[in-house]
Amino acid sequence: MRKYLLMLSLVVFPILSQAGVSQVSGAKVKNIEFYGNQFTITLDQVHSSKSCGHSGNVVAIDTSKEPGKTHYSALLAIWMAGKSVNMTITDATCSGDRPTLLNWSAN
């Protein structure tokens, strides 16, 4: 039993330690792109959630379900108004090679 727990911990704990949550404050949305149901936002600041494989200035949302449907329309309005945003981003789940937006607020 100990042998199996040790093997499991060697596999699971490194995976969990690689995933991270990062914050971005006062960022401007530079670009918005769609790939199927994926809404990708490019920011003018970098975040530290980079385990998904893409550079640290993009974040993605799945627009096929909530809260992605609501987020993308509100973020489009923020982008068009030129306002800045605060975001919480995670690379525990990825949309392709982009980390996922957890929550955000407008400044």
Side-chain angles (χ1 to χ4, degrees):
M1 181 70 157
R2 279 187 169 169
K3 178 180 168 181
Y4 294 114
L5 288 175
L6 176 62
M7 288 173 38
L8 182 63
S9 68
L10 291 174
V11 172
V12 172
F13 292 134
I15 293 169
L16 292 176
S17 67
Q18 290 177 3
V21 174
S22 63
Q23 301 274 334
V24 174
S25 297
K28 292 278 189 167
V29 176
K30 289 176 46 177
N31 193 27
I32 293 176
E33 301 173 30
F34 282 97
Y35 302 99
N37 290 331
Q38 180 179 309
F39 178 71
T40 299
I41 303 152
T42 305
L43 304 170
D44 68 347
Q45 295 181 25
V46 295
H47 53 76
S48 61
S49 297
K50 296 180 177 140
S51 293
C52 294
H54 204 280
S55 63
N57 69 331
V58 295
V59 62
I61 304 168
D62 180 0
T63 59
S64 67
K65 57 188 176 215
E66 289 297 347
K69 288 180 179 182
T70 303
H71 283 315
Y72 94 86
S73 60
L75 283 164
L76 281 173
I78 294 298
W79 181 40
M80 290 186 297
K83 300 290 184 181
S84 59
V85 294
N86 303 322
M87 292 186 171
T88 304
I89 302 157
T90 183
D91 54 14
T93 56
C94 301
S95 296
D97 63 350
R98 290 152 172 81
T100 301
L101 176 66
L102 290 177
N103 59 55
W104 65 278
S105 63
N107 291 332

